[in-house]
């Protein structure tokens, strides 16, 4: 059973396929657990000190890196390809949380604020893309297999971090931190773009959509090797701006309601 779960000698079971009821049931269960924990702990700690809130993030940061290190170690040790490690680098959008979530938990000052904002913005997006939209994984492996289970857990920890930070009100979303948020993303994009050409891989999906929603953009620009990666980066930047705009809109309305309520009293 262990070999069948790990798929060391290949899987005897066929992959159920992306968007199958098995895929949707499995990832929905993970997302439900993620959301319940985030709302429960977020609301529980909302009025506590920042240090107390941060303890939850420390646990989440340690867990996401531990699970990912286990996955990478097993994948490399069971692969006969000496270059297997080049396909395990943390250079996907979801993988950025392996670095930014620990930064949000352990750093201080403006870097901590920017990391908290970054996790808030991209954590939940990464969770959805890495579970429901991970068609390449669920077409390649059975749903209940090591690659999909570990991937589901790490992506949901990423989503948990995002929801928890927002619900517990740890995020600052200061306008002066927007350039730093842009810089974090752009540095990863540039690194991924260079590495893709060095090792012939598809980090950050900057080469092709590979069965993800990025295929829409890829087909739109007919796979142009310049327009496609630029388009992916532009979409990221648009998403950041849109997230900030919605955040300010929602929190602005909330503040306005509080002010009006105090005026009535």
């Amino acid at each position: 059973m262990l070999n069948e779960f790990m798929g060391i000698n290949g899987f005897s079971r066929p992959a159920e396929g992306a968007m199958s009821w098995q895929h949707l049931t499995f990832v929905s269960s993970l997302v439900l657990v993620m959301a319940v924990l985030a709302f429960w702990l977020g609301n529980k700690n909302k009025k506590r000190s920042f240090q107390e809130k941060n303890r939850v993030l420390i646990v989440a940061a340690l867990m996401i890196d531990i699970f990912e290190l286990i996955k990478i170690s097993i994948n490399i040790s069971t692969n006969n390809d000496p270059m297997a490690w080049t396909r395990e680098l943390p250079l996907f959008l979801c993988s950025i949380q392996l670095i930014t979530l620990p930064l949000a938990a352990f750093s201080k000052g403006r870097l901590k604020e920017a990391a908290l904002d970054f996790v808030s913005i991209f954590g939940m997006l990464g969770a959805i893309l890495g579970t429901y939209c991970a068609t390449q994984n669920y077409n390649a492996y059975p749903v209940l297999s090591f690659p999909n289970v570990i991937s589901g857990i790490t992506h949901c920890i990423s989503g948990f971090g995002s929801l928890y930070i927002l619900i517990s009100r740890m995020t600052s979303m200061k306008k002066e931190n927007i350039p730093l948020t842009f810089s974090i993303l752009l540095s990863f994009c540039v690194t991924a773009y260079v590495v893709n050409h060095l090792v012939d891989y598809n980090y950050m999906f900057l080469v092709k959509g590979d069965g993800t929603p990025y295929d829409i953009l890829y087909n739109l620009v007919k796979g142009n090797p310049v327009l496609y990666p630029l388009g992916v980066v532009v979409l990221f930047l648009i998403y950041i701006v849109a997230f900030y705009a919605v955040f300010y809109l929602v929190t602005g309305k909330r503040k306005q309601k509080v002010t009006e309520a105090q005026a009535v009293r």
Side-chain angles (χ1 to χ4, degrees):
M1 288 183 65
L2 182 60
N3 285 339
E4 183 60 24
F5 175 72
M6 301 298 297
I8 294 174
N9 298 314
F11 295 100
S12 62
R13 299 167 292 154
E16 294 87 348
M19 299 303 163
S20 63
W21 69 265
Q22 295 95 333
H23 168 206
L24 295 177
T25 301
F26 174 65
V27 298
S28 295
S29 300
L30 288 178
V31 170
L32 178 62
V33 172
M34 170 199 78
V36 169
L37 285 175
F39 277 96
W40 173 53
L41 292 171
N43 282 303
K44 179 182 177 182
N45 294 331
K46 187 181 295 183
K47 296 183 180 179
R48 294 186 176 180
S49 68
F50 194 85
Q51 289 72 22
E52 289 176 302
K53 296 177 184 180
N54 198 60
R55 290 171 188 164
V56 175
L57 277 189
I58 290 174
V59 174
L62 292 173
M63 286 182 64
I64 194 172
D65 279 357
I66 288 171
F67 275 113
E68 189 66 17
L69 286 172
I70 291 172
K71 184 194 80 171
I72 291 173
S73 300
I74 291 176
N75 285 349
I76 293 177
S77 63
T78 57
N79 198 310
N80 294 325
D81 183 0
M83 297 301 290
W85 64 271
T86 64
R87 299 187 292 275
E88 301 291 342
L89 301 175
L91 290 174
F92 284 107
L93 178 64
C94 317
S95 306
I96 299 177
Q97 304 301 336
L98 298 170
I99 298 170
T100 53
L101 189 53
L103 280 177
F106 294 104
S107 63
K108 296 181 180 180
R110 191 177 173 191
L111 179 59
K112 186 180 187 72
E113 290 181 351
L116 286 167
D117 291 353
F118 193 95
V119 175
S120 301
I121 295 168
F122 284 105
M124 194 61 196
L125 177 64
I128 298 301
L129 291 176
T131 53
Y132 289 101
C133 299
T135 55
Q136 72 279 17
N137 273 18
Y138 289 94
N139 281 329
Y141 313 114
V143 169
L144 294 180
S145 62
F146 177 77
N148 285 333
V149 170
I150 295 296
S151 176
I153 290 173
T154 54
H155 282 91
C156 283
I157 292 175
S158 170
F160 167 84
S162 174
L163 287 176
Y164 175 78
I165 289 169
L166 290 168
I167 295 168
S168 63
R169 299 178 185 176
M170 292 184 72
T171 188
S172 65
M173 299 299 285
K174 294 178 180 177
K175 292 180 180 178
E176 54 266 33
N177 287 336
I178 294 179
L180 189 51
T181 303
F182 278 169
S183 298
I184 293 173
L185 178 65
L186 290 175
S187 64
F188 274 92
C189 287
V190 171
T191 303
Y193 185 81
V194 172
V195 172
N196 283 339
H197 285 77
L198 292 176
V199 302
D200 190 25
Y201 205 53
N202 190 26
Y203 286 117
M204 294 288 281
F205 298 103
L206 292 175
V207 176
K208 56 184 177 178
D210 205 13
T212 68
Y214 295 116
D215 274 333
I216 299 173
L217 175 63
Y218 186 83
N219 294 330
L220 189 64
V221 299
K222 299 180 180 180
N224 186 288
V226 175
L227 293 179
Y228 173 70
L230 284 177
V232 171
V233 174
V234 169
L235 286 176
F236 289 152
L237 300 182
I238 290 174
Y239 176 75
I240 292 175
V241 173
F243 193 97
Y244 270 93
V246 172
F247 181 87
Y248 292 146
L249 182 64
V250 172
T251 55
K253 286 183 177 180
R254 182 182 298 166
K255 290 177 181 178
Q256 184 178 1
K257 289 180 180 179
V258 171
T259 303
E260 290 174 353
Q262 291 175 341
V264 171
R265 290 179 184 177

